[in-house]
Amino acid sequence: KRVVILISGGGSNMVRLVESMTGDHPARPVLVIANSAGAGGLARAADLGVPTAVVDHRPHKGDRPAFEAELIRVIDAAAPDILCLAGFMRVLTEGFTARYAGRMLNIHPSLLPKYRGLDTHARAIAAADTEAGCTVHEVTAELDGGPILGQARVPLRADDTPATLAARVLEQEHRLYPMVLRRFAEGDRSRLDLTTA
Ligand code: GRF
């Protein structure tokens, strides 16, 4: 299975996904795409020997379809079986999500359906939740709304700040996403629930 990974920043999730696709894993990373040349993950992908590309969204400011048309051209040239959004921070239109329906995954730093959108950790703290976590889901037109494939939970601590919670959740993202990708690549759509101590 050919996997294309989309990133916007440091790409720590991308690194774990790439590192997981070895040996008898049915998938291999064929391309990492960033929506800006400044994305730190591009150098990390190159260090791991994965081809990279940049499709900058800024030249298409205010013209999302034009940005997505360029993105689709680069993605489809790599002929992916699976598309992984990993810290990808652009909202995608219904047309784009429909094109890759059933083969596009995303990781979101909350226990969906709670806290779709941004600032998930601050919102969990503000709500004085007892736990937080992350979710891997299939991407549909509904923002952060597709079928859930896996979740990992962490306890919230009284002294947590958004930064300390984000760090603890990110550790679980790095466990969860590779496990869910492998199951997905093997055709297993059953939900995986991880819980830490
Ligand atoms: C992190 O906030 C993570 O929770 C979310 O995307 C952001 C960057 O992740 N999934 P990465 O290091 O670029 O994978």
Side-chain angles (χ1 to χ4, degrees):
K1 293 263 192 298
R2 299 170 58 87
V3 174
V4 169
I5 306 172
L6 274 58
I7 66 169
S8 292
S12 70
N13 276 290
M14 173 276 298
V15 168
R16 272 62 178 196
L17 291 176
V18 169
E19 290 174 338
S20 75
M21 290 184 260
T22 59
D24 65 349
H25 194 301
R28 287 293 183 274
V30 296
L31 181 64
V32 169
I33 306 173
N35 63 291
S36 103
L42 288 167
R44 298 171 84 175
D47 290 347
L48 292 166
V50 182
T52 62
V54 175
V55 178
D56 195 328
H57 66 281
R58 281 163 307 195
H60 307 293
K61 206 153 192 60
D63 185 351
R64 203 184 292 273
F67 166 60
E68 291 185 348
E70 174 62 9
L71 195 52
I72 287 167
R73 191 181 61 73
V74 175
I75 289 169
D76 288 359
D81 299 297
I82 300 171
L83 216 52
C84 290
L85 306 181
F88 187 69
M89 304 304 277
R90 307 305 297 173
V91 171
L92 297 164
T93 65
E94 187 163 353
F96 186 96
T97 57
R99 185 183 187 88
Y100 300 107
R103 56 184 171 131
M104 180 158 59
L105 306 182
N106 180 45
I107 188 155
H108 180 77
S110 80
L111 294 173
L112 292 174
K114 290 183 84 169
Y115 311 131
R116 294 181 183 172
L118 298 174
D119 301 322
T120 60
H121 305 305
R123 291 155 69 189
I125 292 169
D129 290 347
T130 54
E131 62 177 10
C134 50
T135 303
V136 176
H137 62 94
E138 288 192 50
V139 176
T140 61
E142 194 184 4
L143 180 69
D144 300 330
I148 291 175
L149 293 170
Q151 291 197 316
R153 296 168 186 281
V154 300
L156 233 97
R157 297 190 180 131
D159 60 349
D160 261 326
T161 65
T164 59
L165 181 55
R168 196 152 66 247
V169 170
L170 192 59
E171 274 177 37
Q172 296 308 313
E173 292 179 38
H174 295 164
R175 286 178 66 210
L176 178 69
Y177 212 169
M179 293 172 81
V180 171
L181 173 59
R182 176 151 192 165
R183 292 154 67 97
F184 192 79
E186 289 167 345
D188 179 355
R189 299 285 187 276
S190 66
R191 181 169 166 154
L192 174 66
D193 280 288
L194 301 180
T195 302
T196 49

